[in-house]
Amino acid sequence: MLAVNYTNLRDNMKRYMDQVTDDYETMIVTRKNNKNVVILSEETYNNLMENVYVMGNKANYDWLIESKAQLENGHCATHELIEVEDE
């Protein structure tokens, strides 16, 4: 996680934005009076929102936990994939 003050961010905006998007970094922009801001890439934000949605639904959460337990206990099967040619 990066931490940068507002002035430094303003002076180096492109470099910091590239670092956030290219390196999947989260950046905290420190400001006066502890009114800090967090900057995320759009990809990271979308992933976070998807996880909030999936985990926020009790039925989805329970299904995921049950599936994880089945996998950890070896209750799974593998299958060979069949390659289909384009027509």
Side-chain angles (χ1 to χ4, degrees), residues 37-65:
V37 175
V38 175
I39 298 178
L40 304 167
S41 70
E42 180 181 20
E43 184 177 354
T44 301
Y45 173 79
N46 288 339
N47 184 273
L48 179 64
M49 290 297 101
E50 182 177 354
N51 284 320
V52 166
Y53 174 78
V54 169
M55 300 305 266
N57 179 305
K58 176 117 172 76
N60 282 343
Y61 178 79
D62 291 344
W63 181 78
L64 287 170
I65 295 301

Side-chain angles (χ1 to χ4, degrees), residues 62-77:
D62 291 344
W63 181 78
L64 287 170
I65 295 301
E66 180 182 341
S67 298
K68 181 178 179 261
Q70 289 174 357
L71 181 62
E72 289 171 342
N73 292 322
H75 298 122
C76 59

Side-chain angles (χ1 to χ4, degrees), residues 15-52:
R15 181 171 64 95
Y16 283 120
M17 291 175 102
D18 287 345
Q19 196 169 0
V20 166
T21 56
D22 296 344
D23 300 337
Y24 301 99
E25 285 282 358
T26 301
M27 183 184 336
I28 297 176
V29 181
T30 58
R31 300 169 63 206
K32 291 181 182 177
N33 299 322
N34 211 21
K35 291 186 173 188
N36 300 339
V37 175
V38 175
I39 298 178
L40 304 167
S41 70
E42 180 181 20
E43 184 177 354
T44 301
Y45 173 79
N46 288 339
N47 184 273
L48 179 64
M49 290 297 101
E50 182 177 354
N51 284 320
V52 166

